[in-house]
Amino acid sequence: QVELVESGGGLVQAGGSLRVSCAASGVTFLKNDMAWFRQAPGKDREFVVGLTWNGVNTDYADSVKGRFTISRDNAKNTVYLQMNCLKPEDTAVYYCATGAVVWPRGPYKYWGQGTQVTVSS
């Protein structure tokens, strides 16, 4: 079955950087679009960024444009989210997703379990 495993979350000060990863298995990774979403406490899950299967097209939420960068390594079946200039409002559980019904903002068929990112002020 499809499994997505996120890692790399943690605690960082405002203005700092963090990279989270998502390793995929059970899916033909290089044929699948990928995306990152996040959910802050008490809020709905929101779209962060999407990346096409070939790594050519991206779509970023306005709130992260210029600060976050998505990338993928098809040889490692892994997608990354590099987060720079982090703000306290970026604090959330970050989820990766694949199997887009509609790219880039979903819905998606498969989800990881999430990784916590906390940005202190």
Side-chain angles (χ1 to χ4, degrees):
Q1 69 275 17
V2 178
E3 186 175 23
L4 302 174
V5 180
E6 299 96 336
S7 61
L11 174 64
V12 63
Q13 288 188 330
S17 297
L18 202 62
R19 188 179 79 161
V20 292
S21 304
C22 172
S25 61
V27 64
T28 307
F29 183 77
L30 58 79
K31 292 185 179 179
N32 277 271
D33 301 332
M34 302 294 296
W36 287 95
F37 288 74
R38 66 186 182 186
Q39 188 167 19
K43 295 187 177 181
D44 293 334
R45 187 164 56 190
E46 66 173 355
F47 170 80
V48 175
V49 59
L51 176 66
T52 52
W53 65 272
N54 56 6
V56 172
N57 298 109
T58 58
D59 182 59
Y60 290 88
D62 289 344
S63 58
V64 306
K65 277 182 184 176
R67 301 188 298 121
F68 289 13
T69 303
I70 189 172
S71 62
R72 64 191 297 159
D73 184 339
N74 285 343
K76 296 182 178 179
N77 284 7
T78 300
V79 64
Y80 304 97
L81 182 63
Q82 177 68 44
M83 303 180 288
N84 299 327
C85 301
L86 282 160
K87 305 175 182 180
E89 52 263 45
D90 294 318
T91 295
V93 177
Y94 284 72
Y95 299 90
C96 68
T98 193
V101 178
V102 179
W103 186 87
R105 305 198 179 212
Y108 284 79
K109 295 179 182 177
Y110 308 109
W111 295 85
Q113 83 290 348
T115 186
Q116 176 71 47
V117 172
T118 302
V119 184
S120 63
S121 58

